[in-house]
Amino acid sequence: MLVFVTVGSTRFDALVQAAISEQVLDALHKKGYRQIVIQRGNSDLGTNGGDNGQDLMVSEKNGMEVETWKFKSSILSDIQRATLVVSHAGSGTILDALRQGKPMIVVPNPTLLDDHQGELSSRLDALGYLKATTVNNLAVTISAFDPSSLIPFPPFDGSRFRRLIDQEMGYNVSSS
């Protein structure tokens, strides 16, 4: 089983370093995961001088194959092949993972824009679509995480937005 960790286009050293910590890797291993792929962006790995400027790095730690890379043009294929997605709480990444039907744990970065990621992740957690946690509680959250307890995210319906705009603009809105 594979877990995909992403920090998006931001720098989120704390999440990247937590993902490769002994506690998180042990929690994942106990859940049956054997591979972790980390999109680290410009984050520092915090291991012996950082990443030495390398893009792709593969190693083994605590019984897990650990692959890290900085950026790709798209992370959709990584999301699709993952059994679990652990992510910063960026809205685009959340929507991509939930629309793919992937169980998700989000870790908001509280240093960004008035903690907007915390607000989004708390609300989606309360609705049952994902599990929100903090960097410090990531290992505990993984250990207790039951993907079957999540509510499937509703499929995209573009007509809902059109009806909202039509109604706001005063157009005759039919109930069809």
Side-chain angles (χ1 to χ4, degrees):
M1 292 192 322
L2 181 143
V3 62
F4 176 57
V5 178
T6 178
V7 299
S9 61
T10 63
R11 183 174 175 141
F12 195 0
D13 292 353
L15 177 54
V16 170
Q17 291 170 13
I20 59 172
S21 71
E22 185 173 321
Q23 297 85 355
V24 167
L25 293 176
D26 285 346
L28 289 169
H29 195 267
K30 288 176 184 171
K31 289 283 202 170
Y33 294 95
R34 297 298 178 258
Q35 184 179 14
I36 183 169
V37 175
I38 304 169
Q39 178 271 317
R40 69 185 186 275
N42 289 316
S43 297
D44 183 359
L45 290 172
T47 56
N48 299 332
D51 61 17
N52 299 318
Q54 296 178 7
D55 187 22
L56 175 66
M57 297 184 349
V58 180
S59 61
E60 203 236 303
K61 184 176 177 185
N62 292 56
M64 299 280 292
E65 179 184 320
V66 179
E67 174 185 317
T68 68
W69 46 269
K70 291 182 179 184
F71 296 105
K72 289 183 184 177
S73 58
S74 173
I75 62 170
L76 187 57
S77 65
D78 295 284
I79 290 170
Q80 290 171 333
R81 66 188 187 114
T83 311
L84 170 65
V85 176
V86 176
S87 176
H88 70 120
S91 58
T93 304
I94 289 173
L95 285 175
D96 285 346
L98 294 179
R99 286 184 176 155
Q100 292 298 315
K102 297 300 176 172
M104 184 169 210
I105 297 173
V106 295
V107 182
N109 186 342
T111 66
L112 298 177
L113 295 173
D114 299 322
D115 196 24
H116 71 284
Q117 288 188 352
E119 293 174 22
L120 176 62
S121 62
S122 292
R123 183 69 180 133
L124 292 172
D125 184 310
L127 291 169
Y129 297 131
L130 53 74
K131 184 65 181 162
T133 192
T134 63
V135 169
N136 291 337
N137 289 328
L138 183 56
V140 172
T141 301
I142 290 168
S143 294
F145 186 60
D146 177 9
S148 69
S149 69
L150 297 177
I151 296 171
F153 194 69
F156 176 71
D157 177 4
S159 67
R160 292 177 65 195
F161 181 71
R162 185 193 73 233
R163 287 191 305 269
L164 177 67
I165 294 297
D166 286 349
Q167 182 179 8
E168 186 66 28
M169 297 301 294
Y171 297 123
N172 185 14
V173 180
S174 64
S175 59
S176 58

